Each structure stands twice: as C-alpha cells, then as structure tokens.
Amino acid sequence: MRRAKSDHFPLAGTRHRPRSRRGAPIRDAAGVANVLRELPPYRFLLLAELEDFAAFRRSVGVSRARLVIEDVMARLLRALPMMRATPSGQKALELSFECDSSAAGVAIAEQVRAAMADPFDLDGETFRLSLRIGGVGAPTPDADDLRLVEGAEQALVDAREIRSDVVRDLANPSAGDDPIQLMRELPDAIASGQIFLQYQPKVRVRQQRVVGAEALVRWRHPVRGLILPGMFIEAAERSDTIGPLTLWIIERAIADQRVLAARGHDIPVFINISGILLSDAGFVRDACALVTAGGAKIGFEITETAVIRDPESAIANLRIFADIGVPLSIDDYGAGLSSLAYLKRLPASELKIDKLFVTQLTSSNRDPLIVRSTIDLAHALDMEVTAEGVETPAALALLGVMGCDMVQGFLISRPIEFPAFLTFLSEDRHVAAMAGPRFSFRRNEGQWKAG
Ligand code: C2E
Ligand code: CA
Ligand code: CA
C-alpha cells in the first residue's frame, strides 16, 4: 500500500518536520527512536574567513588581531541567534544551522554577509571587516558531518579562487552546472539583479594611464555561487537569451560609464559581443539605439572567428557600429583561425592578443615571436595592440620593449566590481601594480651617464 505523505517515512529519506519541536529525539507510536523525523529539513555548514587578515594584523598588531574573530562571532550570533559558531584559528569561523529549505540556507548566508556591513570598533578605532564564505547545505538525513565539512572546505577553496562566496546544495549539485537549467533561469536572474558586471582596466604602457576598461559579465547564483561567463555564455548563445543579456549589459555599462565620466574618469568601457549577434539585424538595431541614446563611451570587442563564419553581414554590421562612433576591438587574436584577408576589411581600431600567448610569453620560445609579429602586423594595419593576460612584471617589460600599446591582466588588476573599480581609478592603483622590475629590459640611462 502506498503511504500518504503524512504517514511515517522510512528513516533515510525523511524530509519535512514540524518546526515547533526541533531536535529532540522522540519515540513514535511503535516506540522506535526516530531522531530525524523531528529535525528541520536542511542542515548547513558555512566556513567563513576574514578577508585580508594579514594586512589587518599588520595594521592593528598581532594581539588585537587575535581577538577580533571573537568580536565577529559575537556580532553574528546576535544577528542570527539560531546559528552555532565556533572559531577555527584566528581568522575563521565554522557556522552551522538548520533551516527549512536550501534557499533559506542561502538567504541566511546572505545575512551573515550583511551583518558585517557596519565597521568594528577596536579600542576606539574603527575597521571594516569582510568575510569570504564557503558553505554547503544538505537535506538532514544525508547531512552527515564529514560530508558537510568536506563540502564546505571545497566551497571555501572555490570561493577564494573566484573571490566570491560559494554556497552549495549538496542534494542538487548540478543546479548551476546544467546549461539548460541555467538558461531557463537566466531571464529571472537578469530581472532580479543576479547578473552583474566586473571591470578590468586596460593600461597604456608608455604613459602608465588607465585608458579603458573591459566589462565582464558574472552571475551570482543563489545556490551555485558565482558563475563565470564560460559557464553560461555558450548556452545563452544557443538559446535566444544572448541578445537580451547583451542589451542588458550594454545598458548597465552605459550607466556605469556615465558615473565614471562624472567622477573624472571618462574612459571607454568595452563590451564583449558574441559573434552570432553580428548577423542579428534586430540586435544591431537595438544596440545602436542604446549606444546612441546613452551618451557614454562604449566600445565592442568581437572575435574574428565570428566574422569568418558569415563575413558579409558581420562586416556590414560592424561598419554600422563604427559609423555611429563605437570603437571596435578584435578579441582573442591568434586563438582561432586568423585570416589576414578579413582582418584588413574590419573597421577595427584595436587588436587584442589572446592571453594564451601572453601568459606563456616569458617561458616559451615560440610565443614571443608570435606576439612580436602580431604587434607589427597590427601597427601596419593602423591598429593599436592590447595584450591580455599580463600576469607578471617580466611579461609587462617584454611587451613594452616589443612596442605593445596597452596591457590588461591580473598583474594590474583582476576584474573587480564597479565600486572597487572606482576606488582603483581614484587611487591610481595601477601605478603600484606596474612598479617593480618593469624597466629591466631598458638601460638605466642615469647609470650610463654617471659611469
Ligand atoms: P575574454 O573576452 O578573452 O575576457 C578575458 C578573460 O580573461 C576574462 O575571463 C578575464 O577574467 C580573464 N583574464 C583577465 N586577465 C587575466 C590574466 O592576467 N590571466 C588570466 N589567466 N586570465 C585573465 P572571464 O571573465 O572568465 O571571461 C571569459 C570569457 O567570457 C571572455 O573572454 C569573453 O569571451 C566571455 N565574456 C565575458 N563577458 C561577456 C559578455 O558580457 N558577453 C559575451 N558575449 N561574452 C562575455
Ligand atoms: Ca574580451
Ligand atoms: Ca580575449
């Protein structure tokens, strides 16, 4: 006989329980201990660590820094009294709690983050502290401690890597991995503010000035954490979502560029445009309308392979963009099937050398040759060259010697959110990032003269 939902469940697989009688083991009518029946459906474990703890300790001293985790814990427990918290070393906390659903757990993780918003007072001095959170939740019957601990540790490793909190549902690990599911969720994600842009500066090598920024899209998924574009752009391209997504990105970038300009940083913001959109007349019309009405400096990055696929319509549409004053940049040059014939026909002002060649620049024999000849080729075609993926001072120095006009990469800055990008610009942070053995390929003229 099939059991009705309200009947007794077998032990494993029990999910829902009344909220009023949490935790207490009880005996059912048959006198069998059924601990799980009385537990709330979900258990969560979050590992939360203080960001930039080393810098904080340097500024307040070792003994004060040692105590701060207790202050953080006290604040979190005041804000979220149903949580249990245990310090784990000087800079981390283990936070565990039960709740009714996976989404409720993710919302509590958000509240942990929100509780850190106000500064902390340490002996009369105020400090802002933030936590990086990696966590997992699972339905209570499956949520044994080891699974939670191992899952949360992995989530924290991932969170550090992508510099954004990661909270996962172990019962639904592929919720964010399934491209079809993601595409279903994307329209709502745009509407509800889960999609956002990060900016990565582009610096002119000679003058050491920030001369532009690339907008890179990200998705803060409520279950999966931060999703990078590699996970969803292709799926968006296969569905009808890439057009609306890109139009949203253009609008967002226009608004942000206007703020940049108002703050005295009137640099163009470049947006990545998927190749398939170049032969979509509706998209081209809408994009032109947005850019024309936007009153902001917006450029487009396009990959050359897209042009090769349907050259006539792509080139015609690129001309339309160029004619309304949108600077065009050829992205990922060298990664695909590069064709000089098309390169010459594109109304582009910039060529971006793919990071594949740049990251290996100082460790490979072949790549410096490719980079060097690409720079010369671009200059011969009246284009400027940006090298992306500049990660080391040595690569920066070599690119400078080769005559590369602009650089972009982790050495100068990772992609960062808009408020952080504003701070980056106003504090000229690129200068310190570019300092170092930058001139090692140049002669030290002062020394020659003195000698
Ligand atoms: P892309 O256009 O080649 O963007 C540069 C990628 O290189 C970015 O990855 C960036 O985070 C990464 N990167 C920057 N500096 C360095 C570095 O020094 N070293 C290394 N190893 N990587 C570096 P991201 O953000 O994951 O974007 C991946 C790709 O997704 C982009 O490649 C672009 O093709 C696509 N994409 C990003 N945003 C959008 C968008 O809004 N629309 C479309 N259609 N595609 C986008
Ligand atoms: Ca790009
Ligand atoms: Ca690229």
Side-chain angles (χ1 to χ4, degrees):
M1 192 185 77
R2 267 188 75 199
R3 282 175 175 164
K5 276 204 168 141
S6 56
D7 271 359
H8 298 165
F9 290 87
L11 253 182
T14 304
R15 286 207 168 199
H16 188 73
R17 277 300 94 211
R19 277 165 238 174
S20 50
R21 301 173 59 196
R22 272 184 191 170
I26 59 147
R27 287 177 186 276
D28 66 14
V32 178
N34 189 346
V35 178
L36 294 170
R37 284 189 60 203
E38 292 304 308
L39 289 173
Y42 258 79
R43 280 185 73 197
F44 269 81
L45 174 67
L46 309 179
L47 301 180
E49 71 179 12
L50 286 167
E51 283 191 298
D52 301 324
F53 183 71
F56 170 74
R57 187 172 50 199
R58 238 174 278 132
S59 94
V60 303
V62 173
S63 53
R64 279 206 295 175
R66 196 178 289 141
L67 301 176
V68 78
I69 199 70
E70 301 279 344
D71 293 351
V72 172
M73 185 168 82
R75 180 186 289 185
L76 294 182
L77 289 176
R78 266 198 311 278
L80 297 155
M82 76 315 179
M83 219 165 49
R84 294 175 295 282
T86 322
S88 165
Q90 291 175 19
K91 64 166 188 171
L93 289 172
E94 286 182 23
L95 307 168
S96 58
F97 55 88
E98 286 84 34
C99 56
D100 290 331
S101 67
S102 170
V106 173
I108 291 170
E110 288 283 344
Q111 288 171 37
V112 171
R113 202 184 351 246
M116 299 295 288
D118 290 337
F120 283 78
D121 187 315
L122 285 187
D123 304 334
E125 264 186 280
T126 54
F127 292 91
R128 283 194 187 279
L129 298 169
S130 57
L131 290 171
R132 178 60 68 227
I133 300 171
V136 286
T140 300
D142 308 329
D144 67 75
D145 288 350
L146 185 63
R147 241 186 126 210
L148 289 184
V149 168
E150 288 185 346
E153 281 173 352
Q154 184 57 50
L156 183 59
V157 168
D158 296 344
R160 287 186 195 123
E161 162 92 18
I162 63 175
R163 290 165 172 248
S164 183
D165 298 345
V166 172
V167 180
R168 294 192 175 117
D169 180 354
L170 290 178
N172 199 5
S174 65
D177 294 340
D178 173 3
I180 295 168
Q181 179 60 23
L182 280 179
M183 280 318 96
R184 270 192 215 117
E185 295 177 26
L186 186 57
D188 278 350
I190 297 173
S192 65
Q194 292 170 25
I195 302 292
F196 67 103
L197 297 180
Q198 285 188 330
Y199 291 93
Q200 192 179 32
K202 201 192 281 184
V203 174
R204 190 170 285 285
V205 180
R206 285 243 172 126
Q207 293 132 334
Q208 281 200 41
R209 260 193 321 122
V210 179
V211 290
E214 178 174 3
L216 294 155
V217 68
R218 275 94 179 82
W219 182 347
R220 204 187 303 283
H221 193 279
V223 174
R224 179 71 169 75
L226 187 83
I227 311 181
L228 292 173
M231 291 283 297
F232 63 90
I233 288 291
E234 256 187 64
E237 285 172 351
R238 282 198 301 271
S239 64
D240 295 336
T241 2
I242 190 69
L245 174 65
T246 308
L247 292 171
W248 181 88
I249 292 167
I250 294 173
E251 279 188 288
R252 182 73 257 156
I254 287 173
D256 288 345
Q257 202 282 337
R258 291 173 64 151
V259 174
L260 287 177
R263 304 276 182 92
H265 310 289
D266 195 8
I267 53 171
V269 168
F270 283 81
I271 295 162
N272 292 281
I273 305 290
S274 282
I276 55 162
L277 293 174
L278 291 183
S279 17
D280 176 341
F283 170 80
V284 173
R285 191 193 52 234
D286 293 348
C288 283
L290 284 177
V291 173
T292 312
K297 289 186 178 157
I298 296 296
F300 289 163
E301 297 192 2
I302 44 141
T303 55
E304 196 196 1
T305 38
V307 179
I308 294 172
R309 229 175 286 142
D310 182 3
E312 294 318 317
S313 81
I315 291 172
N317 285 327
L318 288 174
R319 291 240 162 81
I320 295 178
F321 290 136
D323 287 346
I324 63 162
V326 175
L328 299 175
S329 172
I330 298 167
D331 205 358
D332 300 337
Y333 184 77
L337 200 65
S338 303
S339 157
L340 247 187
Y342 292 124
L343 201 56
K344 271 168 57 185
R345 294 180 60 196
L346 302 180
S349 51
E350 181 187 283
L351 193 70
K352 288 185 91 172
I353 304 178
D354 193 73
K355 56 180 177 293
L356 198 72
F357 303 105
V358 180
T359 47
Q360 311 285 322
L361 194 60
T362 50
S363 59
S364 131
N365 291 328
R366 196 182 53 116
D367 293 355
L369 289 175
I370 296 173
V371 169
R372 174 92 218 214
S373 57
T374 305
I375 292 171
D376 293 344
L377 169 73
H379 287 165
L381 292 172
D382 251 351
M383 284 192 255
E384 291 204 293
V385 183
T386 298
E388 62 175 28
V390 177
E391 294 180 351
T392 62
L396 175 62
L398 188 51
L399 287 161
V401 170
M402 288 176 167
C404 182
D405 305 288
M406 284 159 301
V407 288
Q408 188 183 338
F410 294 169
L411 176 70
I412 295 146
S413 170
R414 286 179 176 262
I416 47 180
E417 285 183 48
F418 188 63
F421 185 55
L422 273 174
T423 309
F424 182 95
L425 291 174
S426 60
E427 294 182 358
D428 280 332
R429 291 205 182 154
H430 65 287
V431 176
M434 292 174 84
R438 180 168 44 91
F439 294 109
S440 56
F441 284 87
R442 282 201 195 161
R443 285 196 200 123
N444 184 332
E445 287 167 9
Q447 225 170 32
W448 287 118
K449 275 180 203 142

